[in-house]
Amino acid sequence: MSRATVLACLVSSSVLALTVAAASPAQAAGVDYVALGDSYSSGVGAPGQSGICLRSNHSYAAQWAARNSPTSFQFLACGGAVTDDVVKTQVPAMNSGADLVSITIGGNDAGFAPTVLTCLTSSDATCTAKVNQGRAYVANTLPGKLDATYAAIRAKAPGARVVVLSYPNIFDTSSVLCEMSTTKRKALNGGAQALDDMIKSRATAAGFVYADVRDNFAGHGVCSSRPYLNGLTIIPPQNSYHPNVNGYTSGYLPALTGAA
């Protein structure tokens, strides 16, 4: 598969679909759990992805359900989702009696995939300019999008504990050898920081629990010796710059467990 094909897959949009997965017996009996969000919640980057939403049982959501056996588990997260998809498709499919809801959202709204594509194929200056464009969106437009999304979740499941998880910094910046320059890696990590700061602000304002995964991923970015994220991936191409199994198990799962 060509590099162009891999990069094209990074910017492809997705259609949302609904699946409901059962959990095994364990300690969260009586809890109805719903996993919302985008590819970082559906499990893109891990093995076993299926369906048009690319859901994997190695995602942090599916792993939490398998370990804790909630009464019900709705796995609604979908690769490629933006805030409007959550509001229009995922929230309406939610169980109104949900006790626990988890979500990652906002990265695609801010142009994650096109920004990575630009940084892969362009100069340091062009990459930085593209990241700054995304940061402007995060500062000026995304807050309203997040507020509307969080309000829709609260309206559908008024009694739920809602855990909003952050995104990790994707790149290790200490390694000399990497698929992107240090300037590009620092710019992208700075953009992720700005995104996470805004998500934290709006989640807190909504009365939700914010779970930061960045400390768990520290030292495990792309180009580190033990990465928790995939770099540019040929097969399957959508795995590029998404958590691997270690990222979901050691990065995301502890954050949800600690916040749930």
Side-chain angles (χ1 to χ4, degrees):
M1 184 178 293
S2 69
R3 180 186 178 93
T5 302
V6 173
L7 299 181
C9 288
L10 284 172
V11 297
S12 62
S13 60
S14 63
V15 181
L16 303 200
L18 165 66
T19 60
V20 180
S24 58
Q27 63 202 42
V31 172
D32 294 303
Y33 170 40
V34 181
L36 305 176
D38 54 23
S39 55
Y40 273 65
S41 289
S42 71
V44 171
Q49 298 164 49
S50 64
I52 58 175
C53 283
L54 302 172
R55 299 189 182 109
S56 168
N57 286 334
H58 294 285
S59 70
Y60 71 84
Q63 288 194 59
W64 189 92
R67 295 184 185 200
N68 294 278
S69 188
T71 299
S72 66
F73 172 40
Q74 284 186 291
F75 197 3
L76 306 181
C78 193
V82 296
T83 51
D84 287 348
D85 295 321
V86 174
V87 172
K88 295 176 182 178
T89 305
Q90 296 182 21
V91 169
M94 282 177 59
N95 177 357
S96 60
D99 303 295
L100 175 65
V101 177
S102 66
I103 185 170
T104 57
I105 201 67
N108 292 322
D109 293 76
F112 167 73
T115 300
V116 172
L117 172 61
T118 297
C119 290
L120 278 167
T121 59
S122 303
S123 66
D124 286 356
T126 301
C127 170
T128 300
K130 184 66 173 177
V131 171
N132 288 338
Q133 179 183 335
R135 294 181 71 151
Y137 180 94
V138 167
N140 299 314
T141 303
L142 187 61
K145 293 281 191 180
L146 292 174
D147 288 349
T149 302
Y150 299 155
I153 295 170
R154 177 56 71 215
K156 185 62 183 282
R161 181 175 180 84
V162 182
V163 179
V164 179
L165 295 103
S166 76
Y167 296 97
N169 288 329
I170 296 175
F171 288 95
D172 175 79
T173 57
S174 62
S175 174
V176 175
L177 298 177
C178 190
E179 56 210 47
M180 288 197 202
S181 69
T182 301
T183 297
K184 292 177 179 180
R185 284 178 273 162
K186 287 182 176 179
L188 286 164
N189 284 353
Q193 177 75 49
L195 173 61
D196 283 334
D197 288 347
M198 184 57 69
I199 291 171
K200 179 180 181 179
S201 171
R202 303 325 306 156
T204 301
F208 293 168
V209 179
Y210 177 75
D212 197 333
V213 304
R214 287 172 292 184
D215 284 348
N216 295 342
F217 278 85
H220 299 287
V222 174
C223 297
S224 68
S225 59
R226 292 183 60 239
Y228 281 3
L229 300 108
N230 301 294
L232 183 65
T233 306
I234 304 301
I235 300 174
Q238 73 270 9
N239 283 2
S240 300
Y241 309 110
H242 284 80
N244 55 30
V245 171
N246 287 335
Y248 286 116
T249 303
S250 300
Y252 270 100
L253 181 59
L256 176 59
T257 300

